[in-house]
């Protein structure tokens, strides 16, 4: 028998009949398999409430991967399916765990796996604690191999619920066995922030309050809440997007250069940023934060209904579908530099991008001919485009004393000729390799919630009388533009987002 690979493991997916498993986990596993990143020594056990046979489960997996790039390789798919098993499961019943234990142990033998386990929680968060405690009680994590627990968002809905969940899973798993997913950290260009900053002599010396006037992060969606009104009513954009994804991007942009690219060095630098975030006290929420809720609107000739008309949404809902904010990082590097963030649903375009705006030249030699010089901008395109654009000023052809704006572009997809791997593919691979760099450590989660809690409390206590305050298809309410205008800035790029 061959030596098992380092990644050899039984992957147990709790919630294997759900949306996440179908849309993200199965296709990612299949891509990894096709690319040869997974050898034959792995098995996937799907567990969920429904009664399914292995064959029925495999057919679902087949349907889920049918559109992936590798799908032409039929034989490959058959081989891949043979690694999948299903077990009906009741999270509260000890017999379910005992059956699971017996199955995973038999798969160890069948696939030459040395007892390694990945427990992937793709179920509603209220079950995470119960599952972890039962895995321990029923002896599923006492084998010889390693154990890793993958936890999906939301990790709590405020600091105290996050702490409770963390306490439960920490009774069973150590911090370095826990992989808290923030899928933004799996995105190519989010991972590229570190390389742009720390591998370019051009940027790092300028990356501070002497040369940067402000930083803007936009993550906009065109869709509304679709059929997830019930979930969204309890969450809102602040908890759904800002506490995790937006603050993670802020941390990567603002952190100090780590001593090395090791997991702990990087996470420790990110944590320091969160510690330096200026806390927003309830009385000052409106100074730093604006909230929005989409109204009906006409987009490309189609009438779209407002948030309050969506299914499972209160007709007088106080839930925000948009957040705009000004964050201040009170440390030597960033004192005085606002980080503006905005995120929301039913906005003009689906796009995530970061704009770093540099300060103006000390004087403008070209003003008579060219008027105001545009600032230098570094735009990092996270999705759907992946790349960056540097906005510069150059001499206008013909007129020596006149400048014209130019752009230097890098398009990651064009450059590599193939799509870069999906975030989930990368992150699953990281879990198998035991690399937790792109997952959030508990102190990051705790500090993010502590920052967010006063804002969500203030908003829950005070109904926003202007809701709904932006028409579907706009970039949020007017108050979001005003937030920057008060400081003499505006959202880039102009004018298409006006
Ligand atoms: P889903 O409702 O589509 O699926 C839930 C799964 O859990 C199903 O397989 C269901 O059978 C199973 N389940 C529910 N109760 C059970 C019980 N008592 N015993 C056994 N099985 C049970 O949910 P989803 O969209 O796949 O999301 C799963 C988790 O992933 C949630 O925590 C969600 O917040 C998170 N998440 C989902 C997405 C996504 O794109 N769907 C994105 C980010 C995070």
């Amino acid at each position: 028998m061959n030596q098992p690979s380092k990644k050899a493991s039984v992957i147990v997916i709790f919630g294997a009949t759900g949306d996440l498993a179908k849309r993200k986990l199965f296709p990612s596993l299949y891509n990894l398999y096709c690319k040869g990143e997974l050898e034959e020594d792995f098995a996937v056990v799907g567990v969920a409430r429904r009664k399914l046979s292995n064959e029925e489960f495999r057919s679902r997996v087949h349907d889920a991967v049918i559109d992936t790039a590798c799908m032409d390789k039929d034989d490959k798919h058959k081989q891949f399916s043979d690694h999948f098993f299903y077990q009906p499961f009741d999270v509260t019943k000890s017999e379910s765990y005992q059956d699971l234990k017996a199955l995973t142990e038999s798969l160890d033998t069948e696939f030459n796996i040395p007892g390694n386990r990945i427990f992937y929680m793709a179920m509603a968060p209220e079950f995470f604690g119960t599952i972890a405690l039962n895995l321990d009680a029923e002896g599923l994590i006492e084998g010889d191999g390693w154990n890793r627990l993958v936890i999906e968002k939301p990790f709590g809905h405020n600091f105290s619920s996050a702490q409770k969940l963390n306490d439960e899973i920490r009774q069973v798993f150590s911090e370095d066995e826990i992989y808290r997913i923030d899928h933004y950290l799996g995105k190519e260009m989010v991972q590229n922030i570190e390389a742009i900053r720390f591998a370019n002599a051009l940027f790092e010396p300028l990356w501070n309050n002497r040369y940067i006037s402000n930083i803007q992060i936009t993550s906009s969606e065109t869709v509304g809440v679709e059929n997830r009104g019930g979930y969204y009513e309890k969450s809102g954009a602040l908890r759904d997007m800002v506490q995790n994804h937006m603050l993670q991007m802020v941390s990567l942009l603002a952190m100090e250069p780590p001593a090395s690219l090791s997991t702990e060095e990087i996470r420790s630098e990110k944590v320091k940023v969160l510690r330096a975030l200026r806390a927003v006290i309830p009385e000052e929420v409106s100074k730093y934060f604006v909230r929005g809720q989409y109204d009906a609107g006409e987009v490309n000739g189609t009438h779209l209904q407002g948030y309050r008309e969506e299914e499972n949404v209160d007709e007088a809902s106080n839930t925000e579908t948009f957040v705009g904010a000004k964050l201040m990082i009170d440390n030597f590097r960033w004192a005085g530099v606002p980080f503006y963030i905005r995120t929301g649903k039913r906005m003009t375009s689906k796009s995530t991008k970061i704009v770093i705006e540099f300060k103006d030249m000390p004087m403008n030699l070209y003003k008579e001919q060219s008027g105001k010089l545009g600032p230098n901008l570094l735009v990092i395109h996270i999705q759907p485009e992946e790349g960056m654009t540097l906005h510069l000023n150059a001499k206008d052809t013909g007129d020596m004393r006149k400048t014209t704006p130019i752009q230097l572009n890098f398009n990651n997809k064009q450059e590599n000729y193939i799509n870069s791997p999906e975030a989930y593919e990368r992150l699953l691979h990281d879990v198998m390799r035991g690399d937790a760099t792109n997952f959030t450590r508990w102190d990051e989660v705790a500090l993010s919630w502590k920052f967010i809690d006063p804002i969500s409390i203030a908003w829950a206590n005070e109904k926003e009388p202007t809701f709904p305050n932006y028409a579907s298809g706009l970039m949020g309410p007017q108050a979001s533009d005003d937030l920057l205008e008060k400081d003499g800035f505006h959202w880039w790029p102009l004018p298409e987002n006006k």
Side-chain angles (χ1 to χ4, degrees):
M1 184 76 71
N2 289 342
Q3 269 295 98
S5 69
K6 286 208 170 101
K7 295 177 238 174
S9 50
V10 178
I11 305 163
V12 182
I13 300 179
F14 292 90
T17 56
D19 176 67
L20 183 77
K22 183 171 102 187
R23 284 194 310 112
K24 301 289 181 190
L25 306 186
F26 301 149
S28 299
L29 285 168
Y30 190 53
N31 282 337
L32 288 170
Y33 186 69
C34 277
K35 290 176 186 169
E37 299 288 4
L38 274 181
E39 295 182 26
E40 298 302 329
D41 47 10
F42 78 98
V44 179
V45 179
V47 306
R49 261 176 316 200
R50 201 171 299 207
K51 287 200 168 42
L52 291 179
S53 66
N54 283 343
E55 287 323 309
E56 285 166 322
F57 182 52
R58 287 172 187 183
S59 144
R60 281 168 173 253
V61 174
H62 174 272
D63 293 348
V65 304
I66 206 149
D67 292 329
T68 52
C70 295
M71 204 45 219
D72 47 330
K73 302 177 188 164
D74 268 354
D75 286 356
K76 198 90 184 151
H77 178 259
K78 168 78 182 79
Q79 278 170 295
F80 177 70
S81 290
D82 289 346
H83 292 260
F84 281 72
F85 300 83
Y86 185 80
Q87 195 202 306
F89 204 81
D90 182 337
V91 291
T92 58
K93 291 232 164 74
S94 51
E95 301 87 76
S96 285
Y97 295 87
Q98 287 154 12
D99 292 348
L100 181 61
K101 184 167 193 270
L103 175 59
T104 53
E105 285 170 357
S106 76
L107 294 174
D108 278 347
T109 314
E110 189 175 341
F111 290 95
N112 187 27
I113 297 166
N116 298 335
R117 299 284 180 268
I118 293 173
F119 299 107
Y120 198 116
M121 304 280 172
M123 251 185 209
E126 61 259 35
F127 299 125
F128 297 167
T130 312
I131 296 172
L133 294 172
N134 277 311
L135 287 174
D136 188 29
E138 301 303 331
L140 274 97
I141 52 172
E142 65 194 17
D144 294 336
W146 44 252
N147 291 294
R148 294 178 188 148
L149 176 73
V150 187
I151 294 257
E152 267 298 339
K153 82 168 193 186
F155 199 93
H157 54 270
N158 56 17
F159 173 66
S160 69
S161 58
Q163 190 169 42
K164 180 171 175 288
L165 170 58
N166 199 57
D167 289 347
E168 285 171 350
I169 59 176
R170 282 301 311 277
Q171 284 179 45
V172 181
F173 295 92
S174 60
E175 177 62 34
D176 62 3
E177 291 174 325
I178 300 171
Y179 291 71
R180 297 179 193 81
I181 293 242
D182 185 318
H183 73 276
Y184 269 57
L185 295 180
K187 291 184 187 292
E188 174 66 24
M189 290 308 291
V190 172
Q191 296 190 351
N192 217 331
I193 293 172
E194 285 161 62
I196 293 168
R197 290 191 52 194
F198 305 132
N200 289 298
L202 189 64
F203 293 128
E204 192 47 30
L206 307 183
W207 212 263
N208 55 53
N209 52 9
R210 261 169 291 155
Y211 299 102
I212 289 177
S213 68
N214 74 95
I215 291 183
Q216 306 177 6
I217 309 174
T218 299
S219 187
S220 57
E221 288 182 84
T222 50
V223 292
V225 287
E226 317 263 78
N227 53 5
R228 295 172 72 226
Y231 161 78
Y232 206 80
E233 274 287 89
K234 289 195 222 109
S235 150
L238 186 69
R239 298 187 231 216
D240 193 42
M241 289 294 296
V242 179
Q243 178 270 333
N244 37 42
H245 313 315
M246 303 301 276
L247 288 185
Q248 282 295 323
M249 287 191 280
V250 169
S251 306
L252 287 167
L253 288 163
M255 72 183 192
E256 292 300 314
S260 73
L261 292 180
S262 73
T263 305
E264 287 318 308
E265 294 290 353
I266 291 176
R267 287 163 147 200
S268 298
E269 292 304 338
K270 283 165 64 196
V271 163
K272 284 189 208 158
V273 174
L274 296 171
R275 275 202 233 122
L277 259 189
R278 185 181 301 170
V280 178
I281 54 172
E283 302 76 60
E284 289 198 342
V285 168
S286 60
K287 187 169 151 197
Y288 293 99
F289 274 77
V290 302
R291 50 180 160 163
Q293 187 187 74
Y294 65 82
D295 201 349
E298 204 71 33
V299 176
N300 298 330
T302 309
H303 174 80
L304 299 171
Q305 62 186 3
Y307 178 67
R308 291 177 175 189
E309 285 120 51
E310 304 276 18
E311 207 183 313
N312 297 326
V313 170
D314 185 341
E315 56 189 30
S317 175
N318 190 39
T319 302
E320 77 287 351
T321 61
F322 172 95
V323 176
K326 166 178 163 176
L327 309 180
M328 299 304 292
I329 298 169
D330 292 328
N331 62 17
F332 264 44
R333 185 183 284 263
W334 295 114
V337 181
F339 282 63
Y340 299 108
I341 59 171
R342 61 178 167 171
T343 181
K345 294 198 175 286
R346 279 287 174 73
M347 293 168 69
T348 319
S349 56
K350 178 175 170 55
S351 159
T352 301
K353 66 175 73 154
I354 297 165
V355 179
I356 291 110
E357 180 173 345
F358 291 88
K359 287 189 172 167
D360 289 340
M361 296 294 286
M363 64 174 284
N364 180 4
L365 291 169
Y366 294 89
K367 65 174 173 280
E368 270 172 35
Q369 295 292 328
S370 312
K372 194 176 176 326
L373 275 186
N376 293 143
L377 305 175
L378 173 65
V379 183
I380 303 174
H381 308 273
I382 310 285
Q383 66 183 19
E385 305 95 43
E386 291 178 0
M388 54 181 158
T389 309
L390 188 57
H391 293 243
L392 303 171
N393 296 301
K395 190 184 85 61
D396 190 39
T397 324
D399 190 337
M400 226 188 85
R401 293 198 173 76
K402 204 168 167 196
T403 63
T404 188
I406 58 159
Q407 300 181 0
L408 305 185
N409 272 310
F410 160 67
N411 181 329
N412 190 52
K413 290 195 173 166
Q414 239 165 39
E415 200 69 16
N416 293 329
Y417 298 104
I418 48 157
N419 288 355
S420 52
E422 249 253 53
Y424 271 94
E425 185 182 326
R426 248 182 248 276
L427 295 175
L428 268 168
H429 195 212
D430 285 352
V431 176
M432 289 171 198
R433 294 187 299 124
D435 182 350
T437 313
N438 292 310
F439 297 81
T440 48
R441 206 168 65 184
W442 164 241
D443 48 358
E444 293 179 72
V445 177
L447 285 163
S448 314
W449 277 125
K450 284 182 182 171
F451 175 75
I452 291 296
D453 278 355
I455 301 143
S456 40
I457 292 168
W459 283 355
N461 289 342
E462 201 171 321
K463 213 165 157 52
E464 174 54 63
T466 65
F467 275 179
N469 58 359
Y470 68 100
S472 286
L474 296 186
M475 287 304 277
Q478 180 60 39
S480 158
D481 292 347
D482 298 344
L483 189 69
L484 276 69
E485 258 160 46
K486 273 186 256 167
D487 298 337
F489 300 122
H490 53 67
W491 292 107
W492 294 99
L494 287 174
E496 78 246 25
N497 66 345
K498 268 297 197 184

